Amino acid sequence: MQITLHVATMGNNNDLLGLHTVVAVNNMKALNLKLLGLNFIFSTITLVESNGNYSSWYYKNWCGGTLQYLDDSLCAKIFPDLDVDTYSNFICEASIMDQEPPSTSGFQLNGPLKDIEIDINSLDSVVADEDVNLCVILTRRVSKSESSSGELIYNKYLCASNRSSSDAYETWSSSKIFAMANAAGHLRTNESSESCSGDYSGLFGLDSSITGKKGKTMLGDLSTVICSYDHTAGYTSNSLSSYFHDLGWRDRINYLLRDWLGAAEGQTLGGNYGEATPSDLSFALLSSSTSTSTAMEASQGTCPADKDPWPTVYSNTLSALAAAEMARRIAQHREMPPTMRFPGAEWLDMQAILYGSREQSLFFPGQLWGGMAADTAIFMQTALQSLTLKDSEPVLDGSSWRILSKLGAGYSTSRLRGEIVTTVYACIPRRLRSDGSSLPGLELTLSARGSVLHDTSLRTVEKKLLDAVSKAVQYIYDNY
């Protein structure tokens, strides 16, 4: 049994210090509040019994770093209730409508980024801090039986001025998820070996395994290492991201950024994140144990993947708009028109990025919330939980919500600036206010970057980024 305590703490000036979630596994003696140093005026504690210990790796090994909202120093992250049979095939039902939104609403059908109208005014006064770039993509789903997915997707794009929609900045580690998606597309469609192409094309992706110093290694487990910064498996997030670039090819992702996404000039992807690929990891992919296809059996289940032969390294620079749109296409892969899906990739690959290897995990047995679900950044969670205090009903409750994110952070010695990036997809279900009135659900994708001069500790930029995300979320709730 897992017991979760939700603790709301306030400071002397009645400012919210945070909503902290602490987990005690098996018995209350294991409880460690980790709230030393906070000045309590009151705390509200609620006990919730979880439906299984599916997040124990997170609380034992991944949270508890230096910064409260970037590293989850208080281990405050919470996870949805989990239905093992359906959770990784989750479809957001927060914003399903019977009728198309009016043309005056600003919501537009799924389309190429270059054709999308961007609202750069509505958030400009909300997120006025020049040290922050932030874009939000709001999604509305309209039921349409004639659509292949049964729904049409409409989106509204809001950016805090041109600096957010157009200005490119260093992504730090937040763009690693795009390296994984690119690797999936290359593996399934661009390999040269007869064991991977022709009749066998499309059979090998991020649901496959390789071999390494720990023996059989699931690519989905490497996704979890990248997103959680796990240290128990003996790999680093940075070196594994270089490995996925070796699988996906750096030229390919940089080309797709322009040709497929339609990003503006000055934006590039294909950087190595500062570390070389681990020398023990093989490039021979083994078939997924879940596959029963005749073609897979004929290929003997092995694909010698092509390693990037000309590893030209590009800088990782994106606008908040481009980062949010790429992340949205990962989370909403099934609902995307084929031309807007990550080229060559399949939903199985997106599941590995979003959730890791799940039940097939070899590195993290029992940790079903892997991949982007295991990111330690809790900017979005904290912003949403502040709404809970105001409306008295929990925003993040039950199994019908998701927060899937990827952080990036560092101090630039060339720019002399401390920077944090968060890119996050969120689904927030409909809920009731304490007075019985209804709040609509929300489905959104947000990307934000904070950059502060001489902030070597990242504490000032963390505060600025939390403030910006919280203000943007509050604006969205108030107006949509």
Side-chain angles (χ1 to χ4, degrees):
M1 181 179 71
Q2 173 178 303
I3 300 295
T4 302
L5 280 76
H6 304 288
V7 184
T9 61
M10 309 297 286
N12 282 326
N13 58 357
N14 288 330
D15 290 337
L16 176 70
L17 293 179
L19 281 162
H20 315 300
T21 303
V22 187
V23 172
V25 179
N26 296 327
N27 60 72
M28 292 303 292
K29 292 181 180 180
L31 181 62
N32 178 8
L33 286 179
K34 291 189 176 182
L35 297 177
L36 297 178
L38 290 177
N39 183 20
F40 287 93
I41 285 183
F42 69 84
S43 63
T44 303
I45 300 178
T46 305
L47 294 180
V48 179
E49 182 175 335
S50 175
N51 63 342
N53 192 21
Y54 300 128
S55 52
S56 61
W57 278 88
Y58 181 87
Y59 297 107
K60 290 178 181 178
N61 300 293
W62 301 337
C63 64
T66 303
L67 296 174
Q68 184 173 352
Y69 304 105
L70 177 69
D71 305 319
D72 193 10
S73 63
L74 302 177
C75 291
K77 186 181 180 80
I78 59 176
F79 297 91
D81 292 344
L82 188 143
D83 183 331
V84 175
D85 296 328
T86 62
Y87 79 102
S88 63
N89 279 308
F90 175 83
I91 295 178
C92 185
E93 298 181 350
S95 61
I96 297 178
M97 306 168 63
D98 294 328
Q99 296 181 342
E100 299 175 5
S103 58
T104 55
S105 67
F107 282 88
Q108 305 154 76
L109 274 171
N110 262 331
L113 191 59
K114 61 182 178 62
D115 297 334
I116 293 297
E117 294 182 8
I118 314 298
D119 179 351
I120 60 171
N121 298 314
S122 296
L123 284 179
D124 193 20
S125 60
V126 177
V127 183
D129 191 338
E130 294 288 334
D131 286 337
V132 176
N133 306 65
L134 184 148
C135 286
V136 179
I137 306 173
L138 286 176
T139 295
R140 294 284 185 268
R141 297 167 181 254
V142 178
S143 298
K144 288 286 183 180
S145 58
E146 61 269 25
S147 170
S148 59
S149 65
E151 297 172 339
L152 291 178
I153 301 294
Y154 288 81
N155 302 289
K156 183 177 178 65
Y157 293 74
L158 301 99
C159 293
S161 85
N162 279 323
R163 73 178 185 277
S164 299
S165 62
S166 303
D167 292 356
Y169 52 77
E170 182 175 356
T171 65
W172 298 94
S173 293
S174 66
S175 58
K176 292 174 178 177
I177 55 176
F178 309 137
M180 290 189 278
N182 180 57
H186 190 279
L187 287 170
R188 292 197 186 273
T189 60
N190 295 118
E191 296 298 334
S192 63
S193 170
E194 292 182 357
S195 298
C196 319
S197 58
D199 290 341
Y200 314 128
S201 180
L203 299 180
F204 297 88
L206 300 191
D207 57 330
S208 303
S209 65
I210 55 171
T211 57
K213 60 190 175 186
K214 297 173 74 72
K216 183 179 179 180
T217 300
M218 302 299 296
L219 291 181
D221 276 341
L222 302 187
S223 165
T224 297
V225 173
I226 286 173
C227 294
S228 70
Y229 294 88
D230 170 81
H231 56 84
T232 66
Y235 296 106
T236 66
S237 176
N238 288 348
S239 65
L240 292 180
S241 299
S242 174
Y243 175 72
F244 279 105
H245 269 325
D246 284 344
L247 289 174
W249 295 23
R250 294 157 183 82
D251 281 339
R252 184 181 192 268
I253 191 172
N254 196 53
Y255 173 78
L256 291 179
L257 181 63
R258 202 88 66 245
D259 181 70
W260 166 69
L261 187 72
E265 291 294 328
Q267 303 185 53
T268 55
L269 284 177
N272 277 343
Y273 303 98
E275 294 185 39
T277 295
S279 59
D280 64 289
L281 293 180
S282 76
F283 286 82
L285 273 69
L286 305 177
S287 64
S288 168
S289 60
T290 61
S291 176
T292 58
S293 72
T294 302
M296 182 70 82
E297 294 172 2
S299 75
Q300 316 243 324
T302 304
C303 167
D306 297 322
K307 182 178 179 180
D308 190 353
W310 303 290
T312 304
V313 177
Y314 303 89
S315 61
N316 294 316
T317 56
L318 292 175
S319 67
L321 174 64
E325 177 66 4
M326 290 184 81
R328 183 181 76 86
R329 295 188 188 191
I330 289 176
Q332 296 176 354
H333 175 88
R334 291 163 295 178
E335 298 89 345
M336 287 288 152
T339 57
M340 291 183 63
R341 294 173 181 169
F342 238 100
E346 297 183 2
W347 174 238
L348 285 171
D349 306 312
M350 303 302 107
Q351 286 178 303
I353 296 171
L354 297 170
Y355 300 107
S357 287
R358 309 177 302 284
E359 296 90 338
Q360 295 182 7
S361 176
L362 300 176
F363 286 1
F364 316 112
Q367 176 73 32
L368 300 188
W369 296 111
M372 291 174 66
D375 181 38
T376 61
I378 56 169
F379 296 101
M380 177 62 73
Q381 174 183 306
T382 305
L384 290 168
Q385 287 175 319
S386 69
L387 297 176
T388 299
L389 291 182
K390 295 176 182 178
D391 294 312
S392 300
E393 292 289 334
V395 177
L396 306 178
D397 190 30
S399 61
S400 57
W401 63 275
R402 286 292 185 276
I403 296 178
L404 303 164
S405 60
K406 182 67 188 78
L407 64 79
Y411 184 78
S412 169
T413 55
S414 61
R415 296 186 299 277
L416 302 180
R417 303 184 76 90
E419 297 178 334
I420 296 177
V421 182
T422 183
T423 298
V424 52
Y425 167 84
C427 174
I428 317 303
R430 293 178 175 86
R431 63 193 181 92
L432 294 176
R433 288 192 178 97
S434 55
D435 62 6
S437 60
S438 177
L439 277 171
L442 283 177
E443 183 176 5
L444 61 89
T445 312
L446 176 149
S447 190
R449 188 280 303 252
S451 177
V452 175
L453 188 65
H454 302 315
D455 185 19
T456 56
S457 71
L458 303 185
R459 294 189 182 279
T460 301
V461 68
E462 182 189 52
K463 183 178 180 180
K464 280 175 172 279
L465 197 63
L466 176 63
D467 181 65
V469 172
S470 298
K471 286 179 177 178
V473 169
Q474 184 66 61
Y475 174 84
I476 297 301
Y477 255 99
D478 289 344
N479 292 278
Y480 296 97

